[in-house]
Amino acid sequence: MVKLLNSDSLIQAFRRLLCEERKIRGMSQLDLAKSSGLTRQCIALFESGQRVPTFFSLFCLARGFGMPAARFILMLMDKMEFYERMQEQDFLAADGRKVRWQARR
């Protein structure tokens, strides 16, 4: 059985992965832009969710982080699956109510 991709989860996961990897490496948006061949504005739009990456952009970003594209895409898929699992779960609020977890956008 093939599971369909949830585009909201994928975009949320991409935004988070991009920000986290950049910060882990101590890179500014400009640093990542220079090492990836993309523009700083493009990186900013990706991080804000105003732009969806192309397949080519994913390869450029992976190169900018100094990792194989396959590893970057696998990291993205893992993060997306995490967000999808979290969205399916209810949690108890401090006042005892059941609440559904919502990813920040």
Side-chain angles (χ1 to χ4, degrees):
M1 178 182 210
V2 175
K3 183 177 178 186
L4 297 176
L5 290 177
N6 178 329
S7 62
D8 289 339
S9 296
L10 184 58
I11 292 168
Q12 180 70 12
F14 173 71
R15 291 178 56 215
R16 290 283 178 103
L17 178 63
L18 185 58
C19 290
E20 289 170 5
E21 287 300 311
R22 186 174 59 76
K23 289 176 183 174
I24 285 170
R25 289 169 168 70
M27 300 173 85
S28 67
Q29 289 179 343
L30 185 58
D31 295 333
L32 180 57
K34 288 178 181 177
S35 65
S36 68
L38 301 172
T39 65
R40 192 216 51 84
Q41 182 182 15
C42 181
I43 304 296
L45 291 172
F46 286 153
E47 289 186 2
S48 69
Q50 296 177 34
R51 185 171 179 181
V52 177
T54 63
F55 194 64
F56 178 76
S57 298
L58 293 175
F59 275 81
C60 291
L61 291 167
R63 180 184 59 206
F65 287 133
M67 68 173 71
R71 179 173 174 220
F72 187 67
I73 292 169
L74 285 173
M75 291 169 66
L76 177 58
M77 296 303 291
D78 286 345
K79 192 163 284 291
M80 186 193 75
E81 288 173 10
F82 168 77
Y83 284 116
E84 286 181 344
R85 278 195 312 274
M86 292 298 290
Q87 288 175 353
E88 295 168 0
Q89 294 182 18
D90 289 330
F91 295 90
L92 289 179
D95 62 5
R97 292 177 300 121
K98 274 191 175 180
V99 293
R100 181 143 317 253
W101 183 87
Q102 300 242 338
R104 286 188 296 161
R105 293 183 184 220

